[in-house]
Each structure stands twice: as structure tokens, then as C-alpha cells.
Amino acid sequence: MTTLDETHDPSLQSWVQSANAADGDFPIQNLPFGVFRRKRGGEAFRIGVAIGDRVLDLAAVAKTRGAIGAAVAAALGDVEASTLNGLMARGPATWSALRLELSRALRSGADAQGDLTACLYEQSDIEHALPARIGDYTDFYASVYHATNIGKLFRPDAPLMPNYKWIPIGYHGRSSTIGVSGERFHRPVGQTLPPGASVPAFGPSKRLDYEFEVGIFIGTGNDGPIPIASADEHVFGLCLLNDWSARDIQAWEYQPLGPFLAKNFASTISPWIVTMDALAPFRTAWTRPADDPQPLPYLDAPTVWSEGAFDVQLEASLSTSKSDAANQPAMPLTRTSFRHSYWTVGQMVAHHTVNGCRLMPGDLFGSGTASGPTATEAGALIELVEGGKKPFTLINGETRTFLEDGDTVVFRAWCEGTGTRAGVRRIGFGECRGTILPAR
Amino acid sequence: MTTLDETHDPSLQSWVQSANAADGDFPIQNLPFGVFRRKRGGEAFRIGVAIGDRVLDLAAVAKTRGAIGAAVAAALGDVEASTLNGLMARGPATWSALRLELSRALRSGADAQGDLTACLYEQSDIEHALPARIGDYTDFYASVYHATNIGKLFRPDAPLMPNYKWIPIGYHGRSSTIGVSGERFHRPVGQTLPPGASVPAFGPSKRLDYEFEVGIFIGTGNDGPIPIASADEHVFGLCLLNDWSARDIQAWEYQPLGPFLAKNFASTISPWIVTMDALAPFRTAWTRPADDPQPLPYLDAPTVWSEGAFDVQLEASLSTSKSDAANQPAMPLTRTSFRHSYWTVGQMVAHHTVNGCRLMPGDLFGSGTASGPTATEAGALIELVEGGKKPFTLINGETRTFLEDGDTVVFRAWCEGTGTRAGVRRIGFGECRGTILPAR
């Protein structure tokens, strides 16, 4: 059972003043991990932690003389590491201990303030690399709403497959083309079958879409099946993931072996990994409709039901060439919560390994498009526009059926201390942003 | 156009006497690359080249004083490398130059014999690691015979999808569970839907199969689409690949996103990568039935037609607990040639990158099950036994519908100097062997 500790105390304040803003993503109760360097100077990438509008350089902290320096050095092992894989491999006791030491050192009045002040940079002055060396990337399909919405378009006669409510459906994706927020990529080119045609066409995708997913970073690997009861302990944390999709390429290529070139040209993740510890206050009950099958025993445990879900608010927005030229902020597309996921993160881990498949530190799962139960909670444009029949109108009056060149899709996410969690400190994920360049 | 040079001269003999045996896999005309260490002593893995029944330790060669030592050191860069990724990244000019130097140094009468004799070990005394750090693994589906045979079983109404003759169908596989020849793995456990059932069962797979594929190692990566005319230059070489498959798990899970747990528990490759240079004499014309569509321009080039295919003889055999106990050799299953592939290696490379997907040195492609045109040329048991209806009888009288615990599947492959290639020296791939342990 997930327990809260002093790091979750909502009254904690940091000596980094910007961390104390009420609506900030990175208060002292969060402390997400990433990999960064300063924008100029050709520095090596290294591990950092977000605090307010700053990043704490853990490689620099490890070289300070006090207790926090020693604690960081011990937890990281290789303090010059340019990925989180080493820390991920050390396991949840190390992750929690490091987070506790960082929380104490960053609190108002901490002795460490003197040493650590010199280890802070403004986030506006840094750039990110991928937080981990991602060996394998697996994309799940865990929203029954997305599976049903998309199924209706691809297979009107059988939108939801008979296996859907039994199996956390997943497939392998491409790790080499995963990029970090801020990336710009060319519209993919490929084969499509135009409506009514019997011979494929070749050219730039005309139905380019985003998919709003939650990214799940594996911490410790396995040798043999991971029991559902301990599955969450193998997860280092969550981020945001845009699984860009070329719907026209996908429709023509995906049978019988699944999506391939429709997905592997680019996937974009947010730079900060929000840890399972930081998310503990936002875990919530997982439910299934009464008529649905119960999970098979290898996917079932009391904690799946009591706290299997994560109530993470997900918000997608769009900037266009036109809105950028007018200096307008990104315009809202949709909003939902990850708590609607039909399958839990732990179930994904248990299922993935039940056959003996080996997970490695730094492996990434995508949740699948995290659509919610109503039409306005769709996690992809294809759902919002009903397969292309009904364009979506943006607040500046522009319309979109699919994405156009120059469009920037921005995902943000946060966990709120409202309702039954009144008083719990809000934490956020930062943003996941990507821009479409014209086809080559 | 592929050209032959002095390294292909069939009259070349090596001062390593075992390399001169007429039917050996590793004559001086081959020189495949792998990663090895001696079985005892906890040595580091390092790069080697097979010659006769020996392996030449390139890390040791690089430390010798003569011209060959300097050439090997220059080509490898990091002579202590435990993978071929660095050499793969250097490109075909480096690969060819290194092969030429090795050929000259290993020829009968070479001055280098004195230095190199101390750098040779018996292959029976070594063990292998994977030859490369495999970032991404992509499995194609390039045999139209396999696609048709398997399609009949999964989808009797539409065995061959409309896209098959237009697209080199592929999907992403799992790199973390790729192992090297000799591995033993547990029969996978998972969900299946028994015939007639509406609720899935859970337990060890009852329909475990092998798939005989050719593995394709990428050498140099890309930034943008790779033109078909230069696609082969990005390939370092070929090996053998067993894409073990749990047919009952696959049938229940594979829709709509493709195979997942049915495949990712284990894939086994042969340890030696036979280079594109070594295979040059065995390239042959690629043909399509007259009624089939012509390839789209991005998949078409004169050399695709003139030399797109590789005439590699593929032979699968099986050992059982019973035949092992009787000390019998592996029993024949099937034999075919990779030249029957509907799509060429170069077409796979061009297609994979046409959307901008990034390939990296050390990436692995599987060709897909390399079934040939007749029933006895099937590359998987499920085809041989017609989906389970007709057991296969082994030469010791045992029968198999699917694989049993204790079974060892052995693939061998070679290229022959017969027919129009009379006089060309035979080269071989060694073997790809894997054994099934009982489910955990």
C-alpha cells in the first residue's frame, strides 16, 4: 500500500521561492528527474531535478561537501551520468531515500541552502536530452474509450475486439525516434490507399494526428514474471508522451501485424519524470463496469482496486502558424484524466512480463491514447473530428481536420489537491511540445 | 553493382588449415564477424572473426606490431569494444578494407602468420555474446509463401492482405530478449482462447513454434530517407534468426495491433555476421510474377532486379530429449533458399526509412519466416503441420505438432558454388540453436 511521508506535507515550503507559487508544476512536493545542460557552452548532459523555475544540477550537488552531496553521490553512483538508467536500476528504496534528502535540503531554512544555491540554473537557460537511454518502447492501448472510438473508424462492424477486456493490448514501438519536448520533425511520407482506389498513392501524409498518452518509465528490470502485487515497484515514474500518428499510412499498412511507419517517424516525451513517490497522493480507485469480466488472477490484487489508477489531469492544446504569428498562447483542444484508463500501470507491467519478457531500466511504456468517457475528452484529433467528417474549430476561428505544417501540439498535465484531496499540494508534469515541419 | 575482388578468389587457401576443408562454413572467402570470449576465466567479450574451426581475436591482433595490427586497430577504433556497433558505424569502405587486410594476412604464405598464430582460439573453447548492441529490432514478413500459408490459418477468407504486394510489411519487435545461439528459455505462459471458448484460459503455451528467418544487421544509420539505390550500403551483414512464436497466445492477442507476448519472450540469432562483401557472389536476380504490381519508385532500382536476392540455403532441424539421449544428430525438418523472398533486403531498408525513421548501427531486421514455394520449404512448424491438423514425423519416428519441452531447434545456412556459380567457394553461417525448457 502506498504511504505518504513528510515529503508530501502540503505545508512544506522551499527556499527556492518560485517553488512556492500556488499553481506551479514543480513545488518541493514534486521533485521530478530529468537530464539537461545549459544551452550554450557545449556542456555534457547530466541529471537534474526541477524545483520551481529552476533545475538543481545533481552532478554539481554531488561535488558539494555536506551531507546532501554525499547522499546524492551515493544514490547516483556515476554522478556524471548523462542518463537516469543507473539510478533507475537501483530500485525504489534508493529513489525514495534520494527524494527525501532532496526534499530536506531544499526546504526553507535548510542548512544545505548555502551549498546548493550555486547548483541551480534557470529552466529557461537549459535544454534537455531524453531522461533515459530507452532500450525498448512498448505502446499499450489502455483506454477503452479510445479503443472504441478508433475501432469504430477502422472496423465499424467490430470496434472493440473480443480480447480487449481480458488483455492489456500492447505492441512494440520504435525507440530510436523518441525525442524530447521541443522537437520539430518533418511530416512523414509514405504509402496510402485513397478512398475508392485499388492502387496506393505515395506522398506526404494527409491525416497527421497526435495521440496524448502517459509515458511510463521502468526502473528495475526482471528475471521472470513480475507479480501484480509488486508491479508498481518496478516503475520509476510517469511523463507525457505524444505518439504522433499518420492515420492514412496506418489504415493501409496496419494489417495484419500492426502499426509501423504510421508511428515510428517521431514520438515526443516531456523532459521531467514525475516519480511514483510524488504521485502517491493522487492514486485512486480503479473500477470496472459491473458487467465486464474480472481480471485474470495474474492481473488482480487488492491494491489494483484500491489505488490502481492515477488521477492525472491531461490537457492538450494547439498553436498554429497563424496563432504563433499573432503571439497567441496555445489554444485548447481537450482535457481529461488518466484515471479513466481501463488497465492500470501495474497491470501493464505484470502482463508484459508474464511470458518471461525482460524489462530493462529505462524502458518506456506508452499508456495508449488516454481518451476519457465523453466526446470532449478525446486524446486524438481523429476522435474529435469523427474520422475527418467534422472539423474542429479553434478559439481563433481556424479549423482543423488533421494537423497542418507549422502546428505545434502542447500537452500539459497536473495532479490537483481538490475534492477528497483538499489540501494536498498540486504538482505538475511541465509540458510536452512538438512542431510539424513540411514534408521533405 | 556489386563487384567481386581478390577476397572472393576461390583458389585462396589459408595457413589456418581447417579453413581449407571443402564443406566448411568459414573458409578465407567468408571471414564473418562476431563477439566472443574464452569459456573460462571471466575475460571481457571482444570482437573476433571466424576462420576454419578457429576464431581470430581482433583485440589481440590490434596489439601486434605489424601492418595487420595497425590496420585492425584503425578499423575498429576502440579495439577493446565488446560489440560491433563502432565498426558498423564506420561504413562499407572501412568494412571492405578491413576484410581485405584480414584476407591477405590469413592467406597461405602471409608474413602475418607468425604474429597472428597467437591470436587464434579454437571455436570449441569460446562462448559468444550478441554481436551488437541492438537498439531496435524490426521484424518483416517478406515471404509471400509464409504470408499466404499463415494467412490461411488465421484468416481463411483473406489469407493475403491487399497491401501485401505493395508494402514490405513489418512491425517492431523486442530487442531486450534477443539471445545468441545456444540459449535455453522457458516455455512462455499466457492467455489463450481455447477452441469454442468465450473466456480465455491461462497457462503454458500449447502451440510453441519456431520461425526460420534471416537476420539483417544495419551498419550505418541515416538522417532522412535512404534511397533504394544505396540501401544495401547501410547493411553490415546477415545472420540467422529464430523468431520463436507461441501461436495460441498470438491468435488471441494479435488484433488489432499485432503480435506482442507471442513473440517477445525470446528470439535467437546465430553468433556470426556474414558480411555483404562475403555474400556478393551469391546475389541473384529478384523476380515478381508477371501479374503482380511493380514496386513503387521508392522501392525500385535496376540493381533490385539484377541482384536484389540472396541465394542462401536454409536448413532447419530438430533434436528432441529422446534423440539427445540416443546421441543422434539433429533431425531434418525443412530446407529452402532465401532467394524466394518477395521483398529484398534493400527494399526493407528503403521502406523503413521513407518516413524519416532513424536506423542506428546495430539495429536488427528479421526477414520474416523464409518459407519457400513448396510445402516442404516451410519455415515454421505451423505451416508444416497445416495449423495442427497433420503431425510431422521425424526420422526417429517421433511426431511433432508443435514444439515440446526439451526440443532444440537448429538452423544452418550456407551459400553454394554450384550451377551458374560453379567454382565459387562455399561459405556458411554456422548455426543458430535454441532449447525449450519447461514453463516456470
Side-chain angles (χ1 to χ4, degrees):
Chain A
M1 193 67 184
T2 300
T3 51
L4 304 190
D5 62 24
E6 62 176 82
T7 66
H8 301 99
D9 180 349
S11 71
L12 288 184
Q13 297 269 305
S14 174
W15 52 261
V16 180
Q17 288 305 323
S18 60
N20 304 322
D23 58 351
D25 279 352
F26 307 122
I28 193 169
Q29 290 83 0
N30 192 348
L31 303 176
F33 289 81
V35 167
F36 80 100
R37 66 180 179 189
R38 285 183 291 182
K39 278 178 187 164
R40 279 168 295 273
E43 291 176 346
F45 282 104
R46 53 202 186 269
I47 296 172
V49 167
I51 177 77
D53 60 5
R54 308 295 163 102
V55 56
L56 182 67
D57 179 345
L58 292 199
V61 173
K63 287 164 198 150
T64 60
R65 300 238 188 114
I68 181 64
V72 167
L76 295 190
D78 174 11
V79 301
E80 310 287 354
S82 61
T83 69
L84 283 160
N85 296 69
L87 177 62
M88 288 167 156
R90 287 193 170 74
T94 299
W95 311 335
S96 296
L98 175 58
R99 185 167 178 278
L100 178 60
E101 293 300 328
L102 290 169
S103 172
R104 288 176 175 168
L106 287 164
R107 280 177 211 172
S108 299
D111 290 341
Q113 180 173 354
D115 283 345
L116 266 50
T117 300
C119 306
L120 288 170
Y121 308 110
E122 302 222 19
Q123 285 186 33
S124 56
D125 287 342
I126 66 165
E127 59 189 3
H128 287 280
L130 288 175
R133 188 181 61 253
I134 300 167
D136 280 292
Y137 161 47
T138 300
D139 198 22
F140 283 90
Y141 196 53
S143 163
V144 70
Y145 306 108
H146 173 69
T148 304
N149 292 343
I150 205 104
K152 278 180 191 160
L153 301 172
F154 279 69
R155 299 169 301 277
D157 50 328
L160 206 60
M161 295 286 176
N163 56 16
Y164 189 86
K165 294 184 175 182
W166 295 98
I167 293 181
I169 294 290
Y171 67 105
H172 294 292
R174 180 92 195 165
S175 63
S176 73
T177 41
I178 299 174
V180 74
S181 182
E183 76 168 329
R184 300 156 66 84
F185 61 87
H186 294 279
R187 176 180 295 270
V189 166
Q191 287 192 39
T192 59
L193 191 70
S198 60
V199 169
F202 182 81
S205 169
K206 293 175 178 163
R207 292 165 70 90
L208 185 56
D209 200 356
Y210 64 89
E211 289 196 336
F212 196 160
E213 306 198 7
V214 172
I216 299 149
F217 269 103
I218 297 301
T220 51
N222 61 305
D223 182 21
I226 296 176
I228 182 72
S230 57
D232 285 348
E233 297 166 20
H234 290 262
V235 178
F236 183 77
L238 307 185
C239 68
L240 309 181
L241 167 64
N242 190 335
D243 179 33
W244 306 93
S245 297
R247 301 298 180 191
D248 43 359
I249 295 173
Q250 185 175 353
W252 174 229
E253 77 170 0
Y254 91 107
Q255 285 195 323
L257 298 177
F260 182 47
L261 299 191
K263 303 269 194 179
N264 66 12
F265 54 93
S267 313
T268 309
I269 63 171
S270 57
W272 297 111
I273 307 179
V274 179
T275 65
M276 293 289 268
D277 276 343
L279 292 163
F282 306 99
R283 304 199 63 157
T284 187
W286 174 77
T287 53
R288 283 202 153 183
D291 291 345
D292 282 4
Q294 296 301 294
L296 291 182
Y298 79 98
L299 299 172
D300 202 359
T303 50
V304 170
W305 296 90
S306 62
E307 58 177 29
F310 293 83
D311 192 11
V312 181
Q313 309 302 312
L314 309 173
E315 186 181 77
S317 56
L318 182 69
S319 292
T320 67
S321 303
K322 199 169 166 183
S323 72
D324 284 341
N327 273 318
Q328 291 165 337
M331 298 172 282
L333 288 167
T334 55
R335 186 170 157 186
T336 188
S337 166
F338 186 43
R339 75 184 157 84
H340 299 301
S341 186
Y342 193 82
W343 295 101
T344 73
V345 169
Q347 286 170 330
M348 295 177 210
V349 170
H351 181 68
H352 204 314
T353 61
V354 72
N355 67 345
C357 184
R358 194 178 301 127
L359 303 182
M360 303 290 284
D363 281 352
L364 179 66
F365 293 177
S367 63
T369 308
S371 298
T374 68
T376 58
E377 292 177 272
L381 208 44
I382 194 171
E383 297 171 63
L384 282 179
V385 302
E386 296 177 15
K389 294 199 295 283
K390 199 183 93 180
F392 182 88
T393 302
L394 296 160
I395 56 170
N396 73 345
E398 287 186 88
T399 60
R400 283 292 180 276
T401 310
F402 288 96
L403 297 170
E404 297 188 4
D405 294 346
D407 282 356
T408 298
V409 177
V410 182
F411 297 159
R412 298 190 65 86
W414 63 92
C415 301
E416 292 179 315
T418 54
T420 58
R421 284 188 295 265
V424 175
R425 189 64 163 77
R426 176 194 192 279
I427 61 172
F429 282 69
E431 66 176 30
C432 175
R433 169 187 292 265
T435 300
I436 297 158
L437 303 174
R440 286 177 229 246
Chain B
M1 193 65 184
T2 300
T3 50
L4 303 191
D5 62 23
E6 64 176 80
T7 66
H8 301 100
D9 180 347
S11 71
L12 288 185
Q13 298 267 307
S14 174
W15 51 261
V16 180
Q17 287 306 323
S18 60
N20 304 323
D23 58 351
D25 279 351
F26 307 121
I28 193 168
Q29 290 82 358
N30 191 348
L31 304 175
F33 289 82
V35 166
F36 80 100
R37 66 179 179 190
R38 284 183 290 182
K39 278 179 189 165
R40 280 168 294 274
E43 291 176 346
F45 282 104
R46 54 202 185 269
I47 296 171
V49 167
I51 177 79
D53 60 6
R54 307 295 163 103
V55 55
L56 182 67
D57 178 348
L58 292 199
V61 173
K63 288 165 198 149
T64 59
R65 301 237 187 117
I68 182 64
V72 167
L76 295 190
D78 174 11
V79 301
E80 309 289 352
S82 61
T83 69
L84 283 160
N85 296 69
L87 178 61
M88 288 167 157
R90 286 193 170 74
T94 299
W95 312 333
S96 296
L98 175 58
R99 184 167 179 278
L100 177 60
E101 292 301 326
L102 290 169
S103 172
R104 289 175 176 171
L106 286 164
R107 280 177 209 171
S108 300
D111 289 342
Q113 178 173 356
D115 284 343
L116 267 49
T117 301
C119 305
L120 287 171
Y121 308 110
E122 303 224 16
Q123 286 187 32
S124 56
D125 286 342
I126 66 165
E127 59 189 4
H128 287 281
L130 287 174
R133 187 182 62 254
I134 301 167
D136 281 292
Y137 161 48
T138 300
D139 198 22
F140 282 89
Y141 195 54
S143 161
V144 70
Y145 306 108
H146 172 70
T148 305
N149 292 343
I150 204 104
K152 278 181 193 162
L153 302 171
F154 279 69
R155 299 170 301 278
D157 50 329
L160 206 61
M161 295 287 177
N163 57 16
Y164 189 85
K165 295 184 174 180
W166 295 97
I167 294 180
I169 294 289
Y171 67 105
H172 294 294
R174 179 93 194 164
S175 62
S176 73
T177 40
I178 298 173
V180 73
S181 182
E183 76 169 328
R184 301 155 67 83
F185 62 88
H186 294 279
R187 175 181 295 271
V189 166
Q191 287 192 39
T192 58
L193 192 70
S198 61
V199 168
F202 182 80
S205 169
K206 293 175 179 163
R207 292 164 71 90
L208 186 57
D209 200 355
Y210 64 88
E211 289 196 337
F212 196 160
E213 306 196 8
V214 173
I216 299 148
F217 269 103
I218 297 301
T220 51
N222 60 306
D223 182 20
I226 297 176
I228 182 71
S230 57
D232 285 348
E233 296 167 21
H234 290 261
V235 178
F236 182 77
L238 307 184
C239 68
L240 309 180
L241 167 63
N242 190 335
D243 179 32
W244 305 93
S245 298
R247 302 296 180 192
D248 42 1
I249 294 174
Q250 184 176 354
W252 174 228
E253 77 168 2
Y254 91 106
Q255 286 196 322
L257 298 177
F260 182 47
L261 299 190
K263 302 269 194 177
N264 66 11
F265 55 92
S267 313
T268 309
I269 62 172
S270 56
W272 297 111
I273 306 178
V274 178
T275 65
M276 293 289 268
D277 275 342
L279 291 163
F282 307 99
R283 303 198 64 157
T284 185
W286 174 78
T287 54
R288 283 202 153 182
D291 292 345
D292 282 4
Q294 295 301 294
L296 292 182
Y298 79 97
L299 299 173
D300 201 358
T303 50
V304 169
W305 298 89
S306 62
E307 57 178 26
F310 292 83
D311 192 11
V312 182
Q313 310 302 312
L314 309 173
E315 185 182 76
S317 56
L318 183 70
S319 291
T320 67
S321 303
K322 200 169 165 183
S323 72
D324 284 341
N327 272 320
Q328 291 165 337
M331 298 172 282
L333 288 167
T334 55
R335 184 169 159 187
T336 187
S337 166
F338 185 44
R339 76 183 156 85
H340 299 301
S341 186
Y342 192 82
W343 295 102
T344 73
V345 169
Q347 286 170 329
M348 296 178 209
V349 170
H351 181 67
H352 204 315
T353 61
V354 73
N355 68 345
C357 184
R358 195 178 299 127
L359 303 182
M360 303 289 284
D363 282 352
L364 179 67
F365 295 176
S367 63
T369 307
S371 299
T374 67
T376 58
E377 291 177 273
L381 209 43
I382 194 170
E383 296 170 63
L384 282 179
V385 302
E386 295 175 15
K389 295 199 295 283
K390 199 184 93 179
F392 183 87
T393 302
L394 296 160
I395 56 169
N396 73 344
E398 287 186 89
T399 61
R400 284 292 180 276
T401 311
F402 287 97
L403 296 171
E404 298 189 3
D405 295 344
D407 282 356
T408 297
V409 177
V410 182
F411 297 159
R412 298 189 66 86
W414 63 92
C415 300
E416 292 178 316
T418 53
T420 57
R421 284 188 295 265
V424 176
R425 190 62 163 77
R426 176 196 192 277
I427 62 172
F429 282 68
E431 69 177 26
C432 175
R433 167 187 293 265
T435 301
I436 297 157
L437 303 174
R440 285 178 230 248

